[in-house]
Structure formats: C-alpha cells, structure tokens
Amino acid sequence: MAAFHSSEVKVIVSGSVTLTDAEDPADEDVSDDFDGAAIKVKAGASAYITGDGTLTLNGSAKNGVKVSGDADEGYGSLVIDGATININASNDAINGNYDVVILSGSLTISAGDDAIHADRILTIGANGKGPSITIKSCSEGLEGTVVNIAGGTVNVTSTDDGINAANSDKAFSELTFSINMTGGSVTVNAPRADGFDSNGNINLVAGSATINSANNGGDAGIDYDGELYISDAFVLNSQSGVAGPDNMMGGMPGQMGNS
C-alpha cells in the first residue's frame, strides 16, 4: 500500500523571482545521476505553488520542478494554482512521481524531455476553468497514466506525442491509461508523432482540440489502444486521422460516437 506523508512545501510567488539549479550540466556525473531541479521536493512531501508574481525556473542540469516519491518513501503531489511561471529545463519542466494538478496560472515551458509529467494522474483545470499553458518545445507535452483536461488553454509544440497516457515504469497498474477532456481548448503541433496517444482509452466529452500531427498509419492525430469516445459536443479539428484497435482510420467525430 502506498505511503503518504503530511508535510507540504508552499511557495507563494510575489514580484519577480528566478531560481536556478546549481549543478553543472557539462559534468557527466551530474547528467547521469543528478535528480534535482530548480525546485526539488523530497519523497513523501507535497508542493503547492500560488501567488500573483512571476517565477522563472532554470533546470539547466535536469528538471524545473521535481516532486519525488515511491511506494517505500512515500508520495506527494504538486498543485499549481496561480502565478506566472516560466520554465526552461534540460530534462522535464515539471516532473511529479505521483499526481500533478494545475488549476490556474500562466505557464510558458521549454523542455528537453517532457513538458509536464505525472507518474499517476495529471489534471489541467477544473469546472471549465483552468490555466494558460504554452509549451514552446519538448519531446512529449503532457504525460501521465491518466491525463484529465477540464478547462483552460493548452498549446503544445513537441517532437514526440503532444499528449500521452502512458507510464514506462508500469506503476499504478490499478488505473486504466486514459486521456479525458471535459472542457478547455488544446492545440497540438506534433508533426513527427501522435497528437493524442493513449495506451488505453480516449474520452473527448467537451471542449475542443486542434491537432497537427503525423499521419502515416503508425502515428495519427488520435491514437489509442483501448476505446475511443468523441461526444457530439466536442469540437475536433484534425486532418491527421485516427489509429485504433478497431481499424478506424481517418474518421471524424460525426462518424465515431462510442467505439
């Protein structure tokens, strides 16, 4: 059973603040072993970032924000609710070993690997309201075992999948891989990979998505291994097709419904 600790780091951003990790990215030992960040929260503790100021994070050696944890040492979540946050990271801009929740604020991200990664559940927005997230460059944009988008605007430019429901560690096997949109607006520019890619299900209930992705049979605008649902209320603008286990290629919302 997972262990949870009650300690929490609360960061209230006021004015203009810049934080940079102190490691040398040219040091080979650092690049191999360093697991730090401009903001590093140790295993078992949670982090809450809010405020009305501007926070710039430079993860020159690895991550912008890192919340550690595992089943032995305990898990902690990251919540962002406010502030203007600019992140430049050589690895992940935001990396949480459990849940990551972004309720509000304005985020601008450039990352060498994932822009925003949660090992378990990544949640963007709530009740139709949410943050403004601009991901200028990354490998994968949003990644989690489950990715929930309930509000806000997300713009992703990626070299790999724009939004990905996956977990390479195969942790949290009690969850079904899924991408779920119940609100908000997403724009994905992933010309060499999938726009939305789920190792399980995709549920597009409300909101909108504009997708520019590869369209070669293996990669598509919507790629899933489980089931796909697109509501009539969801607005999908994609010319990149659909790839799924039921061989639905190139269909559009009016043709799909439940599958």
Side-chain angles (χ1 to χ4, degrees):
M1 183 175 180
F4 297 90
H5 295 179
S6 59
S7 57
E8 180 181 82
V9 176
K10 187 171 186 178
V11 178
I12 302 174
V13 182
S14 178
S16 181
V17 179
T18 299
L19 299 175
T20 301
D21 67 56
E23 303 295 334
D24 181 2
D27 186 327
E28 291 185 1
D29 291 335
V30 168
S31 61
D32 290 339
D33 300 327
F34 181 66
D35 194 28
I39 294 179
K40 171 68 179 290
V41 181
K42 293 185 177 181
S46 293
Y48 181 82
I49 300 175
T50 189
D52 57 8
T54 299
L55 176 64
T56 299
L57 302 176
N58 296 312
S60 56
K62 208 151 195 182
N63 305 305
V65 180
K66 172 70 175 181
V67 180
S68 301
D70 56 37
D72 295 325
E73 296 185 87
Y75 290 108
S77 297
L78 170 66
V79 177
I80 296 175
D81 191 7
T84 296
I85 303 175
N86 305 308
I87 305 177
N88 298 285
S90 60
N91 194 58
D92 293 349
I94 296 174
N95 182 296
N97 282 23
Y98 197 66
D99 293 346
V100 174
V101 179
I102 304 178
L103 295 174
S104 68
S106 176
L107 285 76
T108 302
I109 290 172
S110 297
D113 197 3
D114 296 341
I116 305 174
H117 171 95
D119 278 3
R120 187 173 177 265
I121 300 175
L122 171 59
T123 300
I124 307 295
N127 301 320
K129 298 180 180 180
S132 172
I133 300 174
T134 300
I135 299 170
K136 293 183 174 181
S137 61
C138 65
S139 177
E140 293 187 321
L142 308 181
E143 183 176 62
T145 300
V146 175
V147 179
N148 296 322
I149 301 172
T153 60
V154 179
N155 291 276
V156 179
T157 298
S158 61
T159 57
D160 204 336
D161 301 329
I163 300 177
N164 189 29
N167 189 321
S168 59
D169 294 335
K170 297 182 180 179
F172 308 112
S173 58
E174 74 278 7
L175 298 176
T176 299
F177 294 116
S178 60
I179 297 171
N180 307 299
M181 276 195 71
T182 57
S185 173
V186 172
T187 300
V188 172
N189 183 31
R192 292 186 287 174
D194 297 310
F196 287 21
D197 181 13
S198 175
N199 288 358
N201 304 328
I202 295 179
N203 298 296
L204 305 178
V205 178
S208 65
T210 299
I211 299 172
N212 171 35
S213 72
N215 185 10
N216 54 26
D219 294 309
I222 303 288
D223 188 356
Y224 62 102
D225 293 338
E227 296 184 348
L228 171 64
Y229 172 78
I230 302 181
S231 164
D232 290 339
F234 190 85
V235 179
L236 175 62
N237 179 16
S238 174
Q239 303 302 316
S240 304
V242 174
D246 46 9
N247 296 316
M248 297 182 74
M249 299 294 295
M252 294 302 290
Q255 300 170 296
M256 294 176 189
N258 287 294
S259 65

